[in-house]
Amino acid sequence: MPDLVIQATYFLGALLFILGLKQMSSPVTARRGIVWAGVGMVLATLITYFHHEINHNYILMTVAIAIGGIIAYVSGKKVAMTDMPQMIALYNGMGGGAAAAIAAVVLIQQQPMSLTVQTLAVVGALIGTVAFSGSLIAFFKLQGIMKGVIRFPMQQWMNALVFVITLTFGLAIILSGTQYEMSSLAIFFVLALVFGVLMTVPIGGADMPVVISLYNALTGLAVGFEGFVLENPAMMIAGIVVGSAGTLLTQLMAKAMNRPITNVLFSNFGDGGSGESSDVSGSMKEIDSTDVAVMMAFAEKVIVIPGYGMAVAQAQHKVWEMTKQLQERGVSVKFAIHPVAGRMPGHMNVLLAEAGVPYDIIYDLDEINDEFATTDVVLVIGANDVVNPAARTDANSPIYGMPILNADYAKNVIVVKRGKGAGFSGIENHLFFADNTRMLYGDGQAVASELVSNIKEL
């Protein structure tokens, strides 16, 4: 097949990636965007069979595609929505690993390359390998295989030392042309794997949304660099688009937490229990589901704030059923989503969409924050730090300065919580002790079911 046709097909596939990504910017068109991007991937894959450099690898390619496709299809069908963050982390890691594998194949061949191409091959290998091992650690943390965090004295200095040594081997490979030893290449990849692990193990679960987004950006950059090495426009364009989008998303996520990315990577916050608790006044005041049902049923406006607790309890369907009951009674119900609610970007939006919640009643922080002051009841289900007033009032709090949902401004706040302990990050939530807050203890799904039943009886 003419090379012009092959390159044009790759370019068409890249355009479909871009259009698909654009469609994913809205929940309304996200499904269409995924289909378009999928079509682009199929085109890029099929046209590769006709590439002039593909000689005897057809069977190996087909077997690899079949195995990967079957695993992805089965796992995609079976994964629960609550496990979606760790699946995203795992698949993201596979992308970084694939880019690193491409770089390894190119470098093992030791073919003459220009300094620019060889530099991009090595840099892509480094970034892809770090994203691969780091994403796997993120998966282990989110899946519960790895508990807590791992920290030791002089850890950041150790990480820096490993990184410098890795860069030294990489630079030596770049400058040696085709004369580098295979042992040096192997050490380079091993050190990159180790650095990805070392960089991720001290990061706590509360920071995982930012970490996943960061590794997504690194994977995209690695793919883009290796696309340049292979002179593949589809890889170049898709990688650069994913890398730039991931970088922007990482910055937005970090901004939503009012923390620089360096603080996420090198601080001790977010380890699920080591956060500093500030002194709070007052006490937690309990309420039962019957009183909450009455309060919401006779309210004019209710705002629901979901968090990871709702995901764990798989309560989104019952929450939507409760919402429909309230709407039938003439109550205005809206959902407020914080940018870092859950364990990955857009986690709460995905869960609510799965339950059938209309997009037009789901609002982000900037859109809805001014409405809390005129809201009768705020129902917080499974959220913690994103509604903690300490972010505004306590300069000693680890989350001070982080933009939050102004739930405490509402007339009444109901917090659905399994127990009386601090949240995932270990920081005491001042909202729970406020005069206008009542605690409704129990599993999110069980509580939502009780509210549904109680509202029906009114």
Side-chain angles (χ1 to χ4, degrees), residues 350-378:
V350 172
L351 289 176
L352 295 177
E354 182 209 16
V357 179
Y359 308 124
D360 58 358
I361 65 170
I362 301 175
Y363 299 85
D364 62 27
L365 181 146
D366 293 330
E367 293 174 321
I368 203 168
N369 243 0
D370 292 337
E371 294 191 30
F372 284 101
T374 59
T375 300
D376 298 302
V377 181
V378 168

Side-chain angles (χ1 to χ4, degrees), residues 72 98 171 194 217 224 300 341 412:
L171 185 60
V194 171
E300 291 185 7
N412 299 282

